[in-house]
Protein backbone atom coordinates (compact mmCIF):
# COMPACT_ATOMS: atom_id res chain seq x y z
CA UNK A 1 0.00 0.00 0.00
CA UNK A 2 1.59 3.23 -1.13
CA UNK A 3 0.79 6.88 -0.54
CA UNK A 4 -2.44 8.49 0.47
CA UNK A 5 -5.96 8.15 -0.86
CA UNK A 6 -6.13 10.30 -4.04
CA UNK A 7 -7.50 13.82 -3.47
CA UNK A 8 -10.25 13.41 -6.08
CA UNK A 9 -11.72 10.53 -4.06
CA UNK A 10 -11.53 12.47 -0.78
CA UNK A 11 -13.42 15.40 -2.29
CA UNK A 12 -15.98 12.95 -3.74
CA UNK A 13 -16.48 11.56 -0.21
CA UNK A 14 -17.51 15.00 1.08
CA UNK A 15 -19.77 15.51 -1.96
CA UNK A 16 -21.44 12.09 -1.49
CA UNK A 17 -21.86 12.65 2.23
CA UNK A 18 -23.61 15.98 1.64
CA UNK A 19 -25.82 14.53 -1.11
CA UNK A 20 -26.90 11.71 1.23
CA UNK A 21 -27.31 14.19 4.08
CA UNK A 22 -29.72 16.34 2.04
CA UNK A 23 -31.94 13.36 1.31
CA UNK A 24 -32.15 11.25 4.46
CA UNK A 25 -34.09 7.99 4.18
CA UNK A 26 -35.42 5.79 7.00
CA UNK A 27 -34.78 2.04 7.40
CA UNK A 28 -35.42 -0.06 4.24
CA UNK A 29 -36.38 3.09 2.32
CA UNK A 30 -32.77 3.94 1.35
CA UNK A 31 -33.47 3.70 -2.41
CA UNK A 32 -31.86 6.97 -3.39
CA UNK A 33 -28.83 6.36 -1.15
CA UNK A 34 -28.41 2.83 -2.52
CA UNK A 35 -28.70 4.11 -6.12
CA UNK A 36 -25.91 6.65 -5.50
CA UNK A 37 -23.67 3.96 -4.01
CA UNK A 38 -24.41 1.46 -6.78
CA UNK A 39 -23.69 4.02 -9.50
CA UNK A 40 -20.29 4.92 -7.99
CA UNK A 41 -19.35 1.27 -7.41
CA UNK A 42 -20.26 0.44 -11.02
CA UNK A 43 -18.21 3.38 -12.28
CA UNK A 44 -15.23 2.10 -10.27
CA UNK A 45 -15.73 -1.45 -11.57
CA UNK A 46 -16.60 -2.98 -8.19
CA UNK A 47 -18.98 -5.96 -8.32
CA UNK A 48 -22.08 -5.34 -6.17
CA UNK A 49 -25.34 -7.14 -5.45
CA UNK A 50 -28.55 -5.75 -3.99
CA UNK A 51 -29.88 -7.68 -0.96
CA UNK A 52 -32.50 -7.12 1.75
CA UNK A 53 -34.40 -4.50 -0.31
CA UNK A 54 -31.96 -1.58 0.00
CA UNK A 55 -28.77 -3.32 1.16
CA UNK A 56 -25.66 -3.68 -1.00
CA UNK A 57 -22.87 -6.23 -0.72
CA UNK A 58 -19.87 -5.26 -2.84
CA UNK A 59 -16.87 -7.53 -3.32
CA UNK A 60 -13.33 -6.78 -4.39
CA UNK A 61 -11.04 -9.75 -5.01
CA UNK A 62 -7.34 -9.01 -4.74
CA UNK A 63 -4.77 -10.57 -7.06
CA UNK A 64 -2.90 -12.25 -4.19
CA UNK A 65 -4.13 -14.99 -1.86
CA UNK A 66 -5.32 -13.98 1.61
CA UNK A 67 -8.23 -13.95 4.01
CA UNK A 68 -11.60 -12.30 3.55
CA UNK A 69 -12.53 -9.22 5.54
CA UNK A 70 -15.78 -7.30 5.63
CA UNK A 71 -16.16 -3.56 6.20
CA UNK A 72 -19.59 -2.27 7.12
CA UNK A 73 -21.39 1.07 6.86
CA UNK A 74 -25.02 1.78 7.71
CA UNK A 75 -27.13 4.01 5.47
CA UNK A 76 -30.34 4.99 7.29
CA UNK A 77 -31.48 8.25 8.88
CA UNK A 78 -33.75 9.10 11.83
CA UNK A 79 -37.23 10.63 12.12
CA UNK A 80 -35.93 13.95 13.50
CA UNK A 81 -36.45 17.51 12.20
CA UNK A 82 -32.95 18.83 11.56
CA UNK A 83 -31.75 22.00 13.32
CA UNK A 84 -28.00 21.67 12.69
CA UNK A 85 -27.67 24.92 10.75
CA UNK A 86 -25.50 23.21 8.07
CA UNK A 87 -25.74 24.69 4.56
CA UNK A 88 -26.63 21.21 3.29
CA UNK A 89 -29.38 20.52 5.84
CA UNK A 90 -31.99 17.85 5.22
CA UNK A 91 -34.47 18.73 2.49
CA UNK A 92 -36.91 16.12 3.78
CA UNK A 93 -39.17 17.38 6.59
CA UNK A 94 -38.95 15.30 9.75
CA UNK A 95 -35.99 13.17 8.61
CA UNK A 96 -32.34 13.71 9.41
CA UNK A 97 -28.95 12.01 9.34
CA UNK A 98 -28.49 12.58 13.08
CA UNK A 99 -26.33 9.47 13.67
CA UNK A 100 -23.71 10.14 11.00
CA UNK A 101 -24.63 7.18 8.80
CA UNK A 102 -24.30 9.53 5.78
CA UNK A 103 -20.63 9.87 6.72
CA UNK A 104 -20.23 6.11 7.26
CA UNK A 105 -21.59 5.29 3.80
CA UNK A 106 -19.54 7.99 2.07
CA UNK A 107 -16.28 6.91 3.79
CA UNK A 108 -16.79 3.24 2.92
CA UNK A 109 -17.69 4.12 -0.68
CA UNK A 110 -14.51 6.23 -0.91
CA UNK A 111 -12.43 3.32 0.37
CA UNK A 112 -14.05 0.92 -2.14
CA UNK A 113 -13.34 3.27 -5.06
CA UNK A 114 -9.73 3.79 -3.90
CA UNK A 115 -9.16 0.06 -3.43
CA UNK A 116 -10.60 -0.75 -6.86
CA UNK A 117 -7.67 1.20 -8.33
CA UNK A 118 -5.23 -0.86 -6.22
CA UNK A 119 -6.55 -4.34 -6.88
CA UNK A 120 -3.16 -5.52 -8.19
CA UNK A 121 -1.67 -4.95 -4.72
CA UNK A 122 -4.54 -6.46 -2.72
CA UNK A 123 -4.38 -9.76 -0.88
CA UNK A 124 -7.48 -11.81 -0.21
CA UNK A 125 -10.98 -10.44 -0.57
CA UNK A 126 -12.68 -7.34 0.77
CA UNK A 127 -16.44 -7.24 1.16
CA UNK A 128 -18.22 -3.93 1.64
CA UNK A 129 -21.59 -4.00 3.41
CA UNK A 130 -23.86 -1.01 2.87
CA UNK A 131 -26.51 -1.88 5.40
CA UNK A 132 -30.03 -0.50 5.71
CA UNK A 133 -32.12 0.09 8.82
CA UNK A 134 -29.57 0.09 11.66
CA UNK A 135 -31.86 2.41 13.61
CA UNK A 136 -34.57 -0.20 13.31
CA UNK A 137 -35.96 -2.65 12.56
CA UNK A 138 -32.38 -3.85 11.83
CA UNK A 139 -30.65 -4.59 8.55
CA UNK A 140 -27.73 -6.69 9.79
CA UNK A 141 -29.68 -9.94 10.20
CA UNK A 142 -31.26 -9.72 6.72
CA UNK A 143 -27.78 -9.15 5.23
CA UNK A 144 -26.41 -12.15 7.11
CA UNK A 145 -29.39 -14.24 5.96
CA UNK A 146 -28.53 -13.18 2.40
CA UNK A 147 -25.07 -14.75 2.89
CA UNK A 148 -23.06 -11.61 3.65
CA UNK A 149 -20.84 -13.27 6.27
CA UNK A 150 -20.15 -16.47 4.34
CA UNK A 151 -16.36 -16.96 4.29
CA UNK A 152 -15.66 -13.74 6.22
CA UNK A 153 -12.69 -14.02 8.61
CA UNK A 154 -13.07 -10.62 10.32
CA UNK A 155 -15.47 -7.70 10.21
CA UNK A 156 -15.04 -4.03 11.13
CA UNK A 157 -17.08 -0.84 11.10
CA UNK A 158 -16.51 2.81 11.88
CA UNK A 159 -18.97 4.96 13.82
CA UNK A 160 -18.53 8.72 14.06
CA UNK A 161 -18.24 9.82 17.68
CA UNK A 162 -19.11 13.33 18.90
CA UNK A 163 -17.12 13.24 22.14
CA UNK A 164 -13.74 12.48 20.52
CA UNK A 165 -11.74 15.23 18.75
CA UNK A 166 -12.17 15.25 14.95
CA UNK A 167 -9.95 12.61 13.34
CA UNK A 168 -9.10 10.69 16.53
CA UNK A 169 -9.65 6.94 16.27
CA UNK A 170 -11.00 5.27 19.44
CA UNK A 171 -10.59 1.53 19.91
CA UNK A 172 -12.12 -0.53 22.65
CA UNK A 173 -11.21 -4.15 23.44
CA UNK A 174 -14.00 -6.46 24.64
CA UNK A 175 -17.52 -5.19 25.47
CA UNK A 176 -18.17 -2.06 23.39
CA UNK A 177 -21.93 -1.47 23.29
CA UNK A 178 -24.97 -2.81 25.13
CA UNK A 179 -27.77 -5.16 24.19
CA UNK A 180 -31.15 -3.49 23.87
CA UNK A 181 -34.46 -5.19 24.71
CA UNK A 182 -37.78 -3.41 25.24
CA UNK A 183 -40.75 -4.39 27.39
CA UNK A 184 -44.41 -3.48 27.74
CA UNK A 185 -46.38 -4.21 30.91
CA UNK A 186 -50.15 -3.98 31.20
CA UNK A 187 -51.61 -3.84 34.72
CA UNK A 188 -55.31 -4.64 34.94
CA UNK A 189 -57.38 -3.87 38.04
CA UNK A 190 -60.94 -2.70 38.48
CA UNK A 191 -62.28 0.79 37.79
CA UNK A 192 -64.47 2.82 40.11
CA UNK A 193 -65.17 6.12 41.80
CA UNK A 194 -62.25 7.99 43.36
CA UNK A 195 -64.27 8.45 46.57
CA UNK A 196 -64.79 4.69 47.01
CA UNK A 197 -61.37 3.11 46.41
CA UNK A 198 -62.28 -0.01 48.43
CA UNK A 199 -64.77 -1.01 45.71
CA UNK A 200 -62.06 -0.89 43.00
CA UNK A 201 -58.53 -2.15 42.27
CA UNK A 202 -56.49 0.97 41.51
CA UNK A 203 -53.67 0.31 38.99
CA UNK A 204 -51.95 3.71 39.52
CA UNK A 205 -50.33 2.98 42.92
CA UNK A 206 -49.53 -0.54 41.70
CA UNK A 207 -47.69 0.96 38.70
CA UNK A 208 -45.81 3.33 41.03
CA UNK A 209 -44.73 0.41 43.21
CA UNK A 210 -43.75 -1.64 40.16
CA UNK A 211 -41.51 1.12 38.76
CA UNK A 212 -39.59 1.13 42.03
CA UNK A 213 -39.50 -2.65 42.27
CA UNK A 214 -38.08 -3.02 38.74
CA UNK A 215 -35.13 -0.82 39.72
CA UNK A 216 -34.20 -3.50 42.25
CA UNK A 217 -33.17 -5.74 39.31
CA UNK A 218 -30.16 -3.46 38.86
CA UNK A 219 -29.56 -2.60 42.51
CA UNK A 220 -30.26 -5.95 44.22
CA UNK A 221 -30.37 -8.84 41.76
CA UNK A 222 -27.38 -8.30 39.44
CA UNK A 223 -23.70 -8.38 40.45
CA UNK A 224 -22.76 -4.71 40.93
CA UNK A 225 -19.74 -5.27 38.68
CA UNK A 226 -22.04 -6.12 35.74
CA UNK A 227 -23.63 -3.15 33.99
CA UNK A 228 -27.38 -3.01 33.44
CA UNK A 229 -29.91 -0.26 32.84
CA UNK A 230 -33.65 -0.72 33.36
CA UNK A 231 -35.32 2.48 32.16
CA UNK A 232 -39.07 3.14 32.20
CA UNK A 233 -39.76 5.60 29.40
CA UNK A 234 -43.56 5.78 29.47
CA UNK A 235 -46.47 5.33 31.87
CA UNK A 236 -49.99 5.59 30.61
CA UNK A 237 -53.11 5.01 32.67
CA UNK A 238 -56.38 6.50 33.91
CA UNK A 239 -59.11 8.81 32.69
CA UNK A 240 -59.65 11.81 35.00
CA UNK A 241 -59.00 13.00 38.54
CA UNK A 242 -61.87 11.26 40.30
CA UNK A 243 -61.94 7.99 38.34
CA UNK A 244 -59.93 5.00 39.47
CA UNK A 245 -57.74 3.67 36.66
CA UNK A 246 -58.69 0.11 35.71
CA UNK A 247 -55.65 -0.23 33.43
CA UNK A 248 -52.13 1.24 33.45
CA UNK A 249 -49.38 0.49 30.94
CA UNK A 250 -45.65 0.81 31.49
CA UNK A 251 -43.03 0.70 28.73
CA UNK A 252 -39.29 0.50 29.14
CA UNK A 253 -35.95 -0.67 27.86
CA UNK A 254 -33.20 -2.89 29.26
CA UNK A 255 -29.51 -2.49 28.37
CA UNK A 256 -26.81 -5.04 29.30
CA UNK A 257 -23.17 -5.54 28.40
CA UNK A 258 -23.13 -9.24 29.21
CA UNK A 259 -25.30 -11.78 27.37
CA UNK A 260 -25.56 -14.00 30.48
CA UNK A 261 -27.04 -11.09 32.47
CA UNK A 262 -29.32 -10.27 29.56
CA UNK A 263 -30.71 -13.82 29.36
CA UNK A 264 -31.94 -13.66 32.95
CA UNK A 265 -33.79 -10.35 32.66
CA UNK A 266 -37.18 -11.45 31.21
CA UNK A 267 -37.76 -13.88 34.11
CA UNK A 268 -36.96 -11.12 36.61
CA UNK A 269 -39.34 -8.61 35.02
CA UNK A 270 -42.11 -11.22 34.82
CA UNK A 271 -41.65 -12.43 38.41
CA UNK A 272 -41.57 -8.93 39.90
CA UNK A 273 -44.58 -7.81 37.85
CA UNK A 274 -46.59 -10.90 38.84
CA UNK A 275 -45.67 -10.52 42.51
CA UNK A 276 -46.41 -6.79 42.82
CA UNK A 277 -49.70 -7.11 40.92
CA UNK A 278 -50.86 -10.18 42.86
CA UNK A 279 -50.07 -8.50 46.16
CA UNK A 280 -52.59 -5.80 45.27
CA UNK A 281 -55.30 -7.94 43.58
CA UNK A 282 -54.40 -6.91 40.03
CA UNK A 283 -52.98 -8.87 37.10
CA UNK A 284 -49.92 -7.94 35.09
CA UNK A 285 -49.02 -9.02 31.57
CA UNK A 286 -45.45 -8.61 30.32
CA UNK A 287 -44.41 -8.51 26.68
CA UNK A 288 -40.67 -8.63 25.98
CA UNK A 289 -39.48 -7.28 22.63
CA UNK A 290 -36.02 -8.66 21.96
CA UNK A 291 -33.63 -6.24 20.26
CA UNK A 292 -29.95 -6.18 19.36
CA UNK A 293 -27.35 -8.22 21.29
CA UNK A 294 -24.34 -6.49 22.86
CA UNK A 295 -21.32 -5.63 20.71
CA UNK A 296 -18.18 -7.45 21.75
CA UNK A 297 -14.94 -6.33 20.09
CA UNK A 298 -12.57 -9.25 19.61
CA UNK A 299 -9.51 -8.24 21.69
CA UNK A 300 -6.90 -9.65 19.29
CA UNK A 301 -8.58 -8.02 16.28
CA UNK A 302 -8.96 -4.73 18.19
CA UNK A 303 -5.22 -4.79 19.01
CA UNK A 304 -4.37 -5.51 15.38
CA UNK A 305 -6.60 -2.70 14.12
CA UNK A 306 -5.12 -0.26 16.67
CA UNK A 307 -1.61 -1.17 15.45
CA UNK A 308 -2.62 -0.68 11.80
CA UNK A 309 -4.28 2.67 12.65
CA UNK A 310 -1.16 3.87 14.49
CA UNK A 311 1.00 3.17 11.44
CA UNK A 312 -1.36 4.60 8.82
CA UNK A 313 -0.55 7.98 7.26
CA UNK A 314 -3.54 10.26 7.58
CA UNK A 315 -4.64 8.88 10.96
CA UNK A 316 -3.55 11.61 13.41
CA UNK A 317 -4.32 9.96 16.76
CA UNK A 318 -5.40 6.59 18.15
CA UNK A 319 -6.72 6.19 21.69
CA UNK A 320 -7.70 3.13 23.71
CA UNK A 321 -11.20 3.56 25.12
CA UNK A 322 -11.41 2.23 28.66
CA UNK A 323 -15.21 2.11 28.83
CA UNK A 324 -18.02 0.68 26.74
CA UNK A 325 -21.26 2.65 26.26
CA UNK A 326 -24.87 1.62 26.90
CA UNK A 327 -26.03 2.49 23.38
CA UNK A 328 -26.83 -0.37 21.00
CA UNK A 329 -25.79 -1.35 17.45
CA UNK A 330 -26.91 -4.20 15.22
CA UNK A 331 -23.25 -4.65 14.20
CA UNK A 332 -23.37 -7.15 17.08
CA UNK A 333 -24.97 -9.75 14.78
CA UNK A 334 -21.90 -9.76 12.51
CA UNK A 335 -19.62 -10.18 15.52
CA UNK A 336 -21.53 -13.37 16.39
CA UNK A 337 -20.41 -14.81 13.02
CA UNK A 338 -16.73 -13.77 12.99
CA UNK A 339 -14.30 -11.73 15.10
CA UNK A 340 -15.39 -8.11 14.82
CA UNK A 341 -14.44 -4.62 15.88
CA UNK A 342 -16.46 -1.42 16.09
CA UNK A 343 -14.11 1.54 15.62
CA UNK A 344 -15.02 5.05 16.76
CA UNK A 345 -14.00 8.12 14.77
CA UNK A 346 -14.00 11.48 16.54
CA UNK A 347 -15.99 14.23 14.82
CA UNK A 348 -16.04 17.00 17.48
CA UNK A 349 -15.19 20.46 16.13
CA UNK A 350 -12.09 22.01 17.76
CA UNK A 351 -12.90 23.80 21.01
CA UNK A 352 -16.37 22.32 21.26
CA UNK A 353 -16.79 21.58 24.98
CA UNK A 354 -20.33 20.25 24.96
CA UNK A 355 -20.99 18.88 21.45
CA UNK A 356 -24.53 17.87 20.39
CA UNK A 357 -24.85 14.10 20.77
CA UNK A 358 -25.83 11.51 18.20
CA UNK A 359 -29.61 11.44 17.61
CA UNK A 360 -29.96 15.14 18.44
CA UNK A 361 -31.49 17.66 15.98
CA UNK A 362 -28.36 19.83 16.35
CA UNK A 363 -25.88 17.03 15.57
CA UNK A 364 -23.14 17.99 13.11
CA UNK A 365 -19.85 16.37 12.31
CA UNK A 366 -16.48 17.93 11.49
CA UNK A 367 -15.87 16.79 7.91
CA UNK A 368 -12.09 16.94 8.42
CA UNK A 369 -12.57 13.51 10.04
CA UNK A 370 -13.96 11.87 6.89
CA UNK A 371 -10.57 11.35 5.14
CA UNK A 372 -9.29 9.65 8.32
CA UNK A 373 -12.05 7.06 8.06
CA UNK A 374 -11.28 6.48 4.36
CA UNK A 375 -7.56 6.06 5.07
CA UNK A 376 -8.25 3.59 7.87
CA UNK A 377 -10.77 1.50 5.91
CA UNK A 378 -8.27 1.33 3.05
CA UNK A 379 -5.38 0.36 5.34
CA UNK A 380 -7.49 -2.40 6.93
CA UNK A 381 -8.32 -3.78 3.48
CA UNK A 382 -4.64 -3.90 2.54
CA UNK A 383 -3.25 -5.22 5.78
CA UNK A 384 -5.81 -7.35 7.65
CA UNK A 385 -6.21 -10.12 5.03
CA UNK A 386 -2.46 -10.71 5.14
CA UNK A 387 -2.22 -10.79 8.93
CA UNK A 388 -5.21 -12.75 10.16
NI1 LIG B 1 -25.53 5.03 14.43
Amino acid sequence: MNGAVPADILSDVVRWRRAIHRHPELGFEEERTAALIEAELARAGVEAVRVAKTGIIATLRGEWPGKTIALRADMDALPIQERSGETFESEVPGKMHACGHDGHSAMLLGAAVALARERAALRGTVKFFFQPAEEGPGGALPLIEAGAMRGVDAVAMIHVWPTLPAGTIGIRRGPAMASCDDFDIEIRGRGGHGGYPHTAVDTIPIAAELVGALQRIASREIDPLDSIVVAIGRIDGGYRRNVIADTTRIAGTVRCLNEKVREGVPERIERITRGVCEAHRATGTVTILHGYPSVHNDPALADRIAAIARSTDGVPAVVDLDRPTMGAEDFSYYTQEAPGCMIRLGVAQPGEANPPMLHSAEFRLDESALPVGVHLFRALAHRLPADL
Side-chain angles (χ1 to χ4, degrees), residues 143-201:
L143 248 71
I144 292 168
E145 280 156 15
M149 288 296 286
R150 219 171 287 138
V152 171
D153 298 296
V155 57
M157 64 163 283
I158 293 178
H159 205 297
V160 298
W161 215 251
T163 55
L164 287 173
T168 294
I169 293 291
I171 309 248
R172 159 99 194 138
R173 308 164 88 256
M177 291 192 92
S179 59
C180 171
D181 299 307
D182 294 335
F183 60 89
D184 290 328
I185 299 174
E186 185 173 273
I187 307 166
R188 284 195 166 274
R190 182 160 183 248
H193 190 297
Y196 313 102
H198 57 293
T199 65
V201 175

Side-chain angles (χ1 to χ4, degrees), residues 38-286:
E38 283 170 330
E40 297 297 338
L41 290 172
R43 196 206 307 264
V46 182
E47 159 197 338
V49 290
R50 183 69 87 96
V51 295
K53 196 158 181 246
T54 45
I56 299 163
I57 300 174
T59 307
L60 203 55
R61 275 172 247 279
E63 300 205 350
W64 302 88
K67 303 270 178 152
T68 297
I69 69 153
L71 303 172
R72 177 270 211 169
D74 37 17
M75 306 190 290
D76 56 320
L78 284 156
I80 293 175
Q81 179 63 44
E82 180 160 0
R83 290 196 309 271
S84 72
E86 296 281 25
T87 53
F88 48 88
E89 263 191 9
S90 168
E91 292 172 12
V92 184
K95 295 182 189 175
M96 175 190 177
H97 269 289
C99 201
H101 300 185
D102 50 342
H104 303 167
S105 289
M107 290 188 295
L108 188 61
L109 182 56
V113 171
L115 288 160
R117 298 184 191 172
E118 301 165 351
R119 204 186 302 239
L122 274 185
R123 283 171 196 282
T125 300
V126 189
K127 286 181 156 188
F128 305 88
F129 299 164
F130 294 92
Q131 183 208 299
E134 192 284 323
E135 303 289 358
L141 272 183
L143 248 71
I144 292 168
E145 280 156 15
M149 288 296 286
R150 219 171 287 138
V152 171
D153 298 296
V155 57
M157 64 163 283
I158 293 178
H159 205 297
V160 298
W161 215 251
T163 55
L164 287 173
T168 294
I169 293 291
I171 309 248
R172 159 99 194 138
R173 308 164 88 256
M177 291 192 92
S179 59
C180 171
D181 299 307
D182 294 335
F183 60 89
D184 290 328
I185 299 174
E186 185 173 273
I187 307 166
R188 284 195 166 274
R190 182 160 183 248
H193 190 297
Y196 313 102
H198 57 293
T199 65
V201 175
D202 188 351
T203 56
I204 299 269
I206 300 172
E209 208 168 307
L210 185 54
V211 169
L214 290 171
Q215 294 309 314
R216 246 99 76 198
I217 295 175
S219 72
R220 286 297 173 270
E221 296 203 13
I222 303 292
D223 183 331
L225 298 178
D226 284 321
S227 302
I228 180 168
V229 176
V230 180
I232 312 291
R234 199 178 71 230
I235 300 185
D236 161 29
Y239 307 95
R240 53 177 287 172
R241 289 189 184 90
N242 64 350
V243 174
I244 284 179
D246 55 4
T247 306
T248 300
R249 294 180 188 85
I250 293 175
T253 188
V254 180
R255 306 290 171 108
C256 303
L257 291 175
N258 175 320
E259 291 297 310
K260 279 260 172 311
V261 171
R262 179 190 185 207
E263 277 165 25
V265 170
E267 180 277 329
R268 298 179 197 279
I269 294 177
E270 275 158 22
R271 169 171 43 77
I272 292 168
T273 300
R274 198 168 54 237
V276 170
C277 290
E278 260 175 29
H280 302 292
R281 300 171 295 148
T283 55
T285 317
V286 177

